[in-house]
Amino acid sequence: MASALPLSPAFVAAFLLALSCFWSLPEFSAAAASGVTRHYRFDIKLKNVTRLCQTKSIVAVNGKFPGPRIIAREGDRILVKVVNHVQNNISLHWHGIRQLQSGWADGPSYITQCPIQTNQSYVYNFTITGQRGTLFWHAHISWLRATVYGPLIILPKHNASYPFPKPHKEVPIIFGEWWKADPEAVIRQALQTGAGPNVSEAYTINGLPGPLYNCSKKDTFRLKVKPGKTYLLRLINAAVNDELFFSIANHSLTVVEADALYVKPFKTDILLITPGQTTNVLLRTKPSYPNATFLMLARPYFTGMGTFDNSTVAGILEYKNPSNPSASASLKNPPLLKPTLPQINATSFVAKFSAKFRSLANSKFPANVPKTVQKRFFFTVGLGTNPCPKNQTCQGPNNSTKFAASINNISFILPTTALLQSHFFGKSNGVFTTDFPTNPLQPFNYTGTPSNNTNTNVSNGTKAVVLKFNTSVEVVLQGTGILGAESHPLHLHGFNFFVVGQGFGNFNPNKDPASFNLVDPVERNTIGVPSGGWVAIRFLADNPGVWLLHCHFDVHLSWGLRMAWVVQDGKLPNQKLPPPPSDLPKC
């Protein structure tokens, strides 16, 4: 046996110094300390897909619709090389990932990056810190999200367990929308004419419309289960413009997580899930073979005045026969049971359901809601109009305007240079201004019948709010009824927030804060502003960068319902945004 050579003290010291320098590099430190590095490659290509008896070409990832799953553990580092082979510009957003010190990987086009152009690539590089559960990824440019999306599943760390019984199986269920036309053409025409866009022809479950649509019986999602087992259903609403009710006939569901954050478990027969939200539920199957199959249905919740896709997507819950596991239940023609869903405009049900969500708020999963507030904001959200340009015919309200959407009457205009680059290099002059109003410039009866002198026209601009690092923030999001009251699912990039209060009518700053929940409010990244009401959120601005707050109805996003937060660097090294990667796309 060979003997080991003695190592000099100088060599050992040099080796340890080199090793410490290696692990202190940003790209190695976080992942090495708590997880592994997972590599993915996303090739953006056209794919022919047949739905509703029609074949069309869609933009897809790796030839899949929906796109591939990303599966990781809390603490893992994710590297996704995105290669664009199509004529469309593309950018991807990892919805709900905090992106701590990795704002360059957040993805919204012209906010944190310029889009990836044809035949170009970009590596999204981020570490999952302090998060576990169900999220999803999707395109964040124009309406490419209609077909470019997929699940993002974060498992707990090794040797960490769920705070609920371990399920027999875990199943992602992702809702979407399907257009016979090209969704890019749909929104392009709407923006040109000023009218509302054409609505989708169908909803989908895992890309399949199901038997209630024409020519779609074979395109049905089937969930095959065993009696007496618990299944974790990872529900994701990737629909472009619709909030959805969901139910499984003759089965109750236990909600255990929302937006990749555990909640106090509660049972329900019906769920409401807005675009951008995720909800994990436990499905306990019947103790014995029921000799029946069960429809899983989803259809929209809608209170606005425009048109919407008033259809229903169906999947099938099918039990495996324990006496003959290889036999399909459908061969015996068992009865097919159907759940009952609320009315399309069941706002009361939605409010009661939303109020059931509470954080675990225990020692392991505390609810660190800011108890004191340093900056308060009051934002009105809703629809308005823009004047019709001269020498052009418009098809918006009164056939003389164009639809617009706004926060505090400011309709956001996308710049041609990414905001984050402009901010980081101190070249924001001419790109964006920092005078976004903290309150409506012209207060009015927000949820009442608009008076004749209410100006529906919105202002247009690229404006942001600047926050010092670690500022505690409260935002009251007030729905408006200028062009009709409707719900707005608001998504905040870069942060989770606590939902401390919500109600109907106009927010009363003298009375409503007294009922705020500062003990166990639910923590989310997307929340529906109630139709004809308000919601109050709090968060800590502990993530340097530029972050969007926007409606997750893509039609409202296209009309300008978004604003940006600029969070300055902190004083410590781990509170600063590092320089952009060398392959960051250029405009």
Side-chain angles (χ1 to χ4, degrees), residues 308-341:
F308 65 101
D309 181 353
N310 186 11
S311 64
T312 302
V313 60
I316 293 179
L317 178 71
E318 183 176 300
Y319 278 75
K320 297 178 181 178
N321 189 337
S323 61
N324 186 5
S326 62
S328 171
S330 61
L331 296 178
K332 299 183 179 180
N333 296 318
L336 182 62
L337 304 182
K338 181 179 179 181
T340 300
L341 291 174

Side-chain angles (χ1 to χ4, degrees), residues 281-311:
V281 298
L282 296 178
L283 166 68
R284 180 67 179 176
T285 58
K286 297 185 180 301
S288 58
Y289 177 68
N291 196 29
T293 54
F294 307 88
L295 281 177
M296 303 183 290
L297 299 184
R299 77 175 184 201
Y301 160 63
F302 184 80
T303 62
M305 299 179 66
T307 57
F308 65 101
D309 181 353
N310 186 11
S311 64

Side-chain angles (χ1 to χ4, degrees), residues 424-448:
F424 185 87
F425 292 108
K427 298 181 178 180
S428 60
N429 190 29
V431 179
F432 70 94
T433 60
T434 58
D435 57 345
F436 190 90
T438 59
N439 290 276
L441 298 180
Q442 294 181 332
F444 61 98
N445 182 9
Y446 308 112
T447 56

Side-chain angles (χ1 to χ4, degrees), residues 339-452:
T340 300
L341 291 174
Q343 295 295 316
I344 292 291
N345 60 350
T347 296
S348 176
F349 171 88
V350 171
K352 292 176 182 177
F353 177 75
S354 179
K356 293 179 180 179
F357 287 83
R358 293 283 187 270
S359 292
L360 284 182
N362 57 28
S363 57
K364 190 173 182 180
F365 302 104
N368 295 318
V369 55
K371 297 298 195 297
T372 59
V373 175
Q374 293 168 305
K375 290 285 186 179
R376 283 186 165 85
F377 300 88
F378 184 82
F379 289 170
T380 55
V381 295
L383 302 186
T385 59
N386 270 325
C388 190
K390 291 183 179 179
N391 302 320
Q392 182 177 333
T393 301
C394 293
Q395 300 172 14
N398 302 318
N399 285 324
S400 60
T401 60
K402 288 188 169 188
F403 272 110
S406 65
I407 300 178
N408 275 357
N409 209 46
I410 306 294
S411 187
F412 190 92
I413 297 177
L414 277 177
T416 55
T417 302
L419 298 188
L420 185 57
Q421 289 169 277
S422 305
H423 162 67
F424 185 87
F425 292 108
K427 298 181 178 180
S428 60
N429 190 29
V431 179
F432 70 94
T433 60
T434 58
D435 57 345
F436 190 90
T438 59
N439 290 276
L441 298 180
Q442 294 181 332
F444 61 98
N445 182 9
Y446 308 112
T447 56
T449 302
S451 59
N452 292 333

Side-chain angles (χ1 to χ4, degrees), residues 5-17:
L5 294 174
L7 300 177
S8 68
F11 177 86
V12 173
F15 175 79
L16 292 176
L17 177 62

Side-chain angles (χ1 to χ4, degrees), residues 505-576:
N506 297 334
F507 174 74
N508 187 327
N510 298 317
K511 295 182 180 180
D512 289 326
S515 62
F516 281 1
N517 176 11
L518 303 181
V519 178
D520 62 350
V522 68
E523 188 176 356
R524 305 202 72 140
N525 63 60
T526 305
I527 188 65
V529 178
S531 178
W534 57 270
V535 64
I537 64 174
R538 289 186 181 184
F539 65 95
L540 189 65
D542 59 353
N543 195 6
V546 178
W547 310 104
L548 266 187
L549 172 70
H550 67 89
C551 186
H552 224 277
F553 291 152
D554 275 16
V555 60
H556 294 172
L557 182 64
S558 299
W559 286 339
L561 208 165
R562 54 183 144 193
M563 56 83 61
W565 306 92
V566 176
V567 179
Q568 297 173 332
D569 283 343
K571 296 181 179 179
L572 301 177
N574 64 350
Q575 298 172 347
K576 298 181 183 297

